[in-house]
């Protein structure tokens, strides 16, 4: 950035020495944080002191108003005030760049003007954000290129396009970064939770919406990782709770499962589930799926690659029990001894390397 500099610098062989001090005030300062450009008015202050025989340089960047700029299209969808970045180098040389040994980033509650800015991060086309605003805040510490921290995102009155439906509701994400490798942009997100709440289908009449109640779903990533990219990719073990089975029935229909009993099956509330998930560009994998509710059990796996689905499912609801095979996008119903059929099919799941390119 450009601005007014006040500096007293001391060098030896190109490296800053104890006693060095500097400050900068700029109306157009820019810093890159985990792939995002933050720019705005800022004050920078730094010094070099001697600690345990080493010349340690620290810097503090305090933003007034700032904007996160997407480096891909230069869009400005996240703005706020008070972003703070602290960095520390154990021996900083101007002759040869070296990453900071420690970086701390504090992002105070910041406005997201349009949640659709995150659509490029979503793999596949199962859903996308049409509109909505929100807030995000984060605190991250990086030591020797390994990051830990938290991120909280709350968005209300968002609109999600899911297939032919437009869903209106609220979103909360509470992410824990327990270990992040900045070199390959992979982060351990174990303990992260995602909640969709007050979800209603805008196509339904008000009377129908009142009869069904607003829908919710809470997903907990018990153990897993995420790799930041466009789109993101993630793998891990997931636990979920859903208000009812409406998304399950809709998903089966979208997969081409024309099971007559689906239309007669009551809307079952309080559904719990566990599964292993792996998704990224052009692939979504769900393995070891178990969904349970009042009298309901769904077991199986589904792999979708380049929009073509393969899988094996068992849907058991009392008098309605059926096996479902998905082969190259074509669904087939198995009603003769479906549980026995399903048990015999368990060896048919393709391996990870075969089903999901990296």
């Amino acid at each position: 950035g450009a601005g007014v500099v006040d500096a007293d610098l001391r060098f030896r062989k190109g490296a800053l020495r104890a006693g060095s001090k500097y400050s900068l005030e700029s109306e157009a300062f820019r810093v890159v944080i985990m792939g995002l450009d933050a720019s705005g008015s800022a004050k920078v202050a730094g010094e070099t002191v001697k600690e345990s025989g080493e010349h340690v340089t620290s810097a503090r960047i305090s933003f007034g108003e700032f904007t996160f700029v997407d480096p891909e299209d230069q869009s400005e969808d996240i703005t706020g005030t008070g972003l703070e970045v602290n960095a520390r180098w154990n021996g900083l040389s101007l002759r040869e760049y070296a990453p900071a040994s420690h970086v701390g980033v504090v992002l105070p509650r910041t406005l997201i003007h349009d949640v659709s800015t995150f659509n490029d991060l979503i793999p596949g086309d199962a859903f996308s954000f049409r509109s909505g605003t929100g807030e995000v805040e984060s605190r991250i510490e990086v030591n020797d290129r390994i990051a830990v921290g938290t991120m909280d995102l709350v968005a209300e009155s968002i609109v999600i396009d899911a297939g032919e439906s437009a869903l209106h509701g609220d979103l909360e994400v509470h992410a824990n970064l327990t270990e992040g490798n900045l070199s390959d942009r992979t982060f351990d997100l174990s303990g992260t939770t995602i909640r969709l709440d007050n979800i209603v289908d805008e196509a339904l009449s008000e009377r129908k919406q009142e009869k069904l109640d607003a829908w919710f779903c809470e997903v907990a990533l018990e153990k897993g990782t995420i790799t930041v990219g466009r789109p993101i990719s993630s793998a891990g073990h997931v636990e979920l709770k859903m208000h009812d089975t409406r998304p399950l029935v809709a998903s089966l229909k979208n997969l081409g499962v024309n099971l007559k009993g689906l239309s007669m099956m009551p809307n079952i509330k309080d559904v719990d589930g566990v599964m292993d998930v792996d998704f990224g560009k052009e692939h979504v994998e769900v393995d070891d799926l178990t969904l349970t509710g009042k009298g309901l059990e769904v077991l199986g796996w589904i792999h979708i690659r380049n929009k073509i689905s393969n899988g094996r499912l068992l849907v058991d609801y009392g008098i309605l029990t059926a096996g479902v095979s998905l082969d190259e996008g074509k669904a087939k119903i198995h009603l003769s001894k479906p549980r026995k059929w399903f048990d015999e099919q368990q060896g048919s799941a393709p391996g990870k390397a075969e089903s999901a390119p990296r």
Side-chain angles (χ1 to χ4, degrees):
V4 178
V5 179
D6 183 6
D8 179 3
L9 303 179
R10 304 177 184 187
F11 297 94
R12 183 176 182 183
K13 296 182 179 179
L16 285 172
R17 307 291 287 178
S20 295
K21 295 182 179 181
Y22 62 90
S23 64
L24 166 69
E25 292 189 21
S26 173
E27 294 300 317
F29 194 81
R30 172 179 171 268
V31 63
V32 179
I33 304 173
M34 297 175 68
L36 290 175
D37 289 3
S39 62
S41 60
K43 294 181 179 180
V44 182
E47 64 176 352
T48 302
V49 298
K50 198 168 185 178
E51 295 181 3
S52 301
E54 284 194 279
H55 295 264
V56 177
T57 298
S58 60
R60 182 189 188 100
I61 305 171
S62 302
F63 279 88
E65 294 183 353
F66 70 91
T67 300
F68 275 116
V69 180
D70 190 320
E72 295 278 332
D73 59 13
Q74 300 303 304
S75 60
E76 301 180 357
D77 293 318
I78 302 176
T79 61
T81 58
L83 172 66
E84 191 169 291
V85 182
N86 294 286
R88 174 187 173 101
W89 292 264
N90 293 328
L92 179 60
S93 174
L94 301 188
R95 296 187 305 173
E96 183 178 355
Y97 170 76
S101 57
H102 170 82
V103 177
V105 179
V106 178
L107 176 67
R109 189 170 296 177
T110 300
L111 178 63
I112 304 170
H113 295 278
D114 188 349
V115 294
S116 67
T117 190
F118 299 117
N119 283 339
D120 286 347
L121 303 178
I122 301 172
D125 55 3
F127 75 94
S128 62
F129 296 116
R130 182 192 298 181
S131 62
T133 61
E135 293 180 330
V136 62
E137 58 183 311
S138 181
R139 182 181 294 269
I140 296 174
E141 298 283 337
V142 182
N143 290 292
D144 296 323
R145 305 289 288 172
I146 301 297
V148 298
T150 60
M151 188 277 290
D152 298 294
L153 183 152
V154 177
E156 298 180 345
S157 299
I158 63 174
V159 179
I160 301 172
D161 288 321
E164 297 180 356
S165 300
L167 307 177
H168 187 280
D170 305 325
L171 169 68
E172 286 190 24
V173 179
H174 301 287
N176 291 319
L177 303 179
T178 56
E179 183 176 341
N181 189 321
L182 296 187
S183 299
D184 58 14
R185 305 182 77 181
T186 297
F187 303 89
D188 187 328
L189 287 185
S190 301
T192 292
T193 60
I194 302 171
R195 183 179 176 90
L196 287 167
D197 209 351
N198 302 316
I199 301 296
V200 296
D201 188 338
E202 292 188 335
L204 299 179
S205 65
E206 289 187 13
R207 183 176 179 181
K208 185 71 170 178
Q209 290 175 8
E210 290 175 358
K211 182 179 179 181
L212 290 174
D213 297 329
W215 183 81
F216 75 85
C217 177
E218 184 166 301
V219 177
L221 186 61
E222 182 181 313
K223 185 177 182 180
T225 62
I226 186 172
T227 300
V228 179
R230 292 176 178 268
I232 60 174
S233 59
S234 182
H237 181 72
V238 167
E239 296 182 351
L240 65 83
K241 292 182 178 294
M242 294 192 297
H243 179 59
D244 56 36
T245 52
R246 279 177 282 171
L248 170 63
V249 174
S251 297
L252 290 173
K253 289 181 178 178
N254 288 337
L255 290 169
V257 179
N258 296 315
L259 183 59
K260 293 181 180 179
L262 281 177
S263 59
M264 298 185 294
M265 188 172 74
N267 185 33
I268 302 166
K269 294 187 176 182
D270 300 323
V271 177
D272 295 319
V274 294
M275 68 191 78
D276 291 330
V277 297
D278 187 331
F279 62 81
K281 186 176 182 180
E282 305 296 344
H283 82 275
V284 177
E285 298 179 3
V286 176
D287 288 293
D288 296 328
L289 168 67
T290 300
L291 297 176
T292 57
K294 187 177 181 180
L296 172 71
E297 183 180 39
V298 179
L299 306 173
W301 60 270
I302 299 174
H303 293 181
I304 303 174
R305 177 183 176 184
N306 297 322
K307 302 182 181 180
I308 298 174
S309 57
N310 290 278
R312 297 292 185 268
L313 296 170
L314 177 72
V315 181
D316 187 346
Y317 181 71
I319 60 172
L320 171 64
T321 304
V324 178
S325 59
L326 295 163
D327 292 297
E328 298 300 314
K330 295 181 180 180
K332 184 177 179 180
I333 309 301
H334 302 266
L335 298 175
S336 177
K337 299 180 179 178
R339 189 171 288 273
K340 182 176 183 294
W341 168 86
F342 178 76
D343 290 341
E344 292 172 347
Q345 293 291 309
Q346 290 311 291
S348 61
K352 294 285 185 182
E354 176 185 345
S355 61
R358 296 294 185 266

